[in-house]
Amino acid sequence: NAGVTQTPKFRILKIGQSMTLQCTQDMNHNYMYWYRQDPGMGLKLIYYSVGAGITDKGEVPNGYNVSRSTTEDFPLRLELAAPSQTSVYFCASSQSGTGVFVGYGYTFGSGTRLTVV
Amino acid sequence: KNQVEQSPQSLIILEGKNCTLQCNYTVSPFSNLRWYKQDTGRGPVSLTIMTFSENTKSNGRYTATLDADTKQSSLHITASQLSDSASYICVVSAKSYGGSQGNLIFGKGTKLSVKP
């Protein structure tokens, strides 16, 4: 009954370093998403995927990359970390998209708190 | 511009009391509205999802209402408990067509503190 699992929970990066945030779900959901949550702000969509091999940009994709080689995994890659990427990152999954079969909500992971110094 | 505004920003109530949180939106075309509860240091957890035709939906002590004409929603919490202390986020989904991903617009949330 794991749901969506994110690792690591916390990370401090130096400017210019790179890292991968891991996200795994065990619900066989086709849709997966990466969001960032800045203090006092609503969640913003970074990237999403509607199935293995298919990814697309969200509202704030600059500085990030994703891949979706399997249904279960959706890693988020930060290249050349910048202080503006200091945030809490949430991975989520759903059985369908936002406008279809609305009874299916999103399941969120517990988040990764990233600080870039 | 699609926006979701929540009020109040924060709220303190005593255990056992009721409270109502507000959400106004300007999202078009509207698909559905969701309320999430986010405990500190955790990801959001879905409370309710309502479509255009639904006026009220309950989940235990949580009751959400939707007025699609005025583009307003409220979340009413009855007989509050200490465990209700969290941020409550209103999320509105815009319709998507042609199989493309729809867009979720998140409010900034209302931070609720329930005191003993």
Side-chain angles (χ1 to χ4, degrees):
Chain A
N1 196 23
V4 177
T5 302
Q6 290 184 237
T7 56
K9 291 191 184 303
F10 304 93
R11 183 72 185 268
I12 298 175
L13 276 183
K14 293 185 178 179
I15 295 171
Q17 287 185 320
S18 61
M19 76 164 293
T20 299
L21 282 66
Q22 302 291 344
C23 176
T24 299
Q25 52 95 5
D26 61 359
M27 297 169 286
N28 202 33
H29 285 171
N30 285 322
Y31 290 71
M32 295 188 74
Y33 317 85
W34 274 106
Y35 286 90
R36 60 178 287 173
Q37 185 177 35
D38 298 326
M41 302 296 290
L43 275 73
K44 301 289 186 186
L45 182 64
I46 304 171
Y47 270 95
Y48 67 94
S49 169
V50 301
I54 307 170
T55 63
D56 209 344
K57 296 178 181 178
E59 187 179 354
V60 290
N62 291 343
Y64 308 95
N65 275 301
V66 294
S67 60
R68 184 92 183 272
S69 57
T70 66
T71 299
E72 296 78 20
D73 300 311
F74 190 40
L76 177 71
R77 178 84 177 160
L78 278 73
E79 304 281 3
L80 299 174
S84 61
Q85 293 177 304
T86 294
S87 188
V88 181
Y89 292 84
F90 289 101
C91 178
S93 72
S94 67
Q95 192 161 344
S96 69
T98 59
V100 181
F101 304 121
V102 297
Y104 297 111
Y106 282 26
T107 300
F108 283 85
S110 296
T112 294
R113 185 175 294 275
L114 176 67
T115 303
V116 182
V117 296
Chain B
K1 182 181 177 182
N2 288 333
Q3 283 188 317
V4 175
E5 301 287 342
Q6 291 187 243
S7 62
Q9 259 188 315
S10 61
L11 182 63
I12 301 174
I13 62 173
L14 292 176
E15 186 179 12
K17 298 295 186 183
N18 304 334
C19 68
T20 300
L21 314 181
Q22 300 290 343
C23 174
N24 296 337
Y25 62 92
T26 59
V27 177
S28 181
F30 175 84
S31 176
N32 58 80
L33 185 145
R34 308 155 188 236
W35 282 94
Y36 283 85
K37 178 186 179 187
Q38 185 176 21
D39 293 315
T40 301
R42 307 289 295 177
V45 174
S46 180
L47 293 175
T48 64
I49 301 175
M50 290 186 292
T51 59
F52 183 90
S53 58
E54 295 175 293
N55 301 117
T56 302
K57 185 164 276 191
S58 293
N59 179 358
R61 295 180 295 101
Y62 301 101
T63 299
T65 64
L66 174 64
D67 186 336
D69 291 331
T70 62
K71 299 187 177 182
Q72 295 180 326
S73 176
S74 65
L75 181 69
H76 186 76
I77 304 175
T78 304
S80 60
Q81 300 176 358
L82 298 179
S83 59
D84 292 331
S85 295
S87 286
Y88 291 84
I89 304 172
C90 176
V91 186
V92 181
S93 173
K95 274 185 182 175
S96 63
Y97 299 97
S100 64
Q101 169 66 13
N103 190 23
L104 288 187
I105 299 96
F106 285 75
K108 295 179 181 180
T110 292
K111 187 175 176 64
L112 175 67
S113 297
V114 181
K115 303 294 186 185

